[in-house]
Amino acid sequence: MRDHEGDLAELRGDCGSCFGLCCVALPFAASADFARDKAAGEPCPNLRDDHRCGIHDRLRNKGFTGCTVYDCFGAGQKVSQVVFGGEDWRAGSREHSRRMFEVFPVVRQLHELLWYLTEALTLPAARPLHAELRRLRERTEELTRQSPEEIAALDVAAHRQEVNVLLLKTSELARAGTRGRKKDRRGADLMGARLKGADLRGASLRGAWLIAADLTGADLRGADLIGADLRDADLTDADLTGAFFLTQPQVNAARGGPGTRLPRSVTSPAHWTGAA
């Protein structure tokens, strides 16, 4: 049997095997998340010659909160070491670096889909779909290993839609075993909502807007959280045990503490006060 927990571990960023692609390829605008503007393809001024961040341990204090939230799902090392065979963007031609920066966001999207498909394969309730999930996971992995030209031309939206159909079926099976009424809050506007102590067991919160929502002490066991916007949501003492399709960037964007119970697939961010 395939070790899907191990597969999830491989879908985490390994900065030591990447050429600092997220610090160059992606744009950001001066805001609460970033201290300055930066165009796509322009190296961040904090990026050192060894592709490491010069203020990594002070990002939040320096106004780069967005960097502490971001995760490439392992796309950085895939593009750097596999797609481009370990050739640094600094060492190649301008066309080489341009193509690398173009490919990176595409592979990042594919790796996010790989995360969801891999996690779906860890859910016992989704066993009837495991064969289809494995097939689509293998297909998605193959797409990340194409030539740079093929990856750049890929219709990611169409592939995402195909994956989403299967993930919806997975969600229905996984939440069916949760006792009680399972709320459907898919895409709901819950910005700033007062949900302290709310019973959200087995709820569908797919794509829900939970920005700055008060979820302290809420019961989110077995909830589907794919695409939920948890920026500044308060998860203090909330129970997310068994919640699925939750990613590290979502957790990093939220607030929580030592009493927040998370699925094994994610960890408590270092910036959570008192987090273990």
Side-chain angles (χ1 to χ4, degrees), residues 117-140:
L117 290 165
T118 302
E119 184 176 3
L121 284 164
T122 69
L123 302 173
R127 190 172 300 279
L129 299 174
H130 279 190
E132 292 180 76
L133 288 164
R134 281 192 294 270
R135 177 191 61 78
L136 203 47
R137 189 193 187 285
E138 290 169 3
R139 172 59 179 152
T140 305

Side-chain angles (χ1 to χ4, degrees), residues 110-180:
L110 293 173
H111 268 229
E112 183 179 2
L113 295 178
L114 284 173
W115 176 277
Y116 296 137
L117 290 165
T118 302
E119 184 176 3
L121 284 164
T122 69
L123 302 173
R127 190 172 300 279
L129 299 174
H130 279 190
E132 292 180 76
L133 288 164
R134 281 192 294 270
R135 177 191 61 78
L136 203 47
R137 189 193 187 285
E138 290 169 3
R139 172 59 179 152
T140 305
E141 175 64 28
E142 289 172 359
L143 292 176
T144 71
R145 295 178 179 273
Q146 297 182 111
S147 70
E149 292 73 24
E150 290 172 315
I151 293 174
L154 181 67
D155 186 346
V156 181
H159 185 68
R160 181 181 290 275
Q161 180 57 34
E162 182 182 357
V163 171
N164 190 53
V165 170
L166 196 53
L167 294 181
L168 276 168
K169 294 178 181 178
T170 299
S171 175
E172 291 168 1
L173 289 175
R175 294 184 296 109
T178 304
R179 293 181 179 179

Side-chain angles (χ1 to χ4, degrees), residues 1 14 23 41 49 53 67 72 90-91 103 109 134 163 175 178 189 198 213-214 246 251 257 265:
M1 181 178 292
D14 177 8
C23 304
D49 290 341
C53 176
C67 296
C72 73
R90 283 185 170 131
V103 163
Q109 291 184 68
R134 281 192 294 270
V163 171
R175 294 184 296 109
T178 304
D189 183 353
D214 181 3
L246 177 69
V251 175
S265 57

Side-chain angles (χ1 to χ4, degrees), residues 257-269:
T260 305
R261 282 157 285 184
L262 296 169
R264 291 189 302 171
S265 57
V266 294
T267 59
S268 298

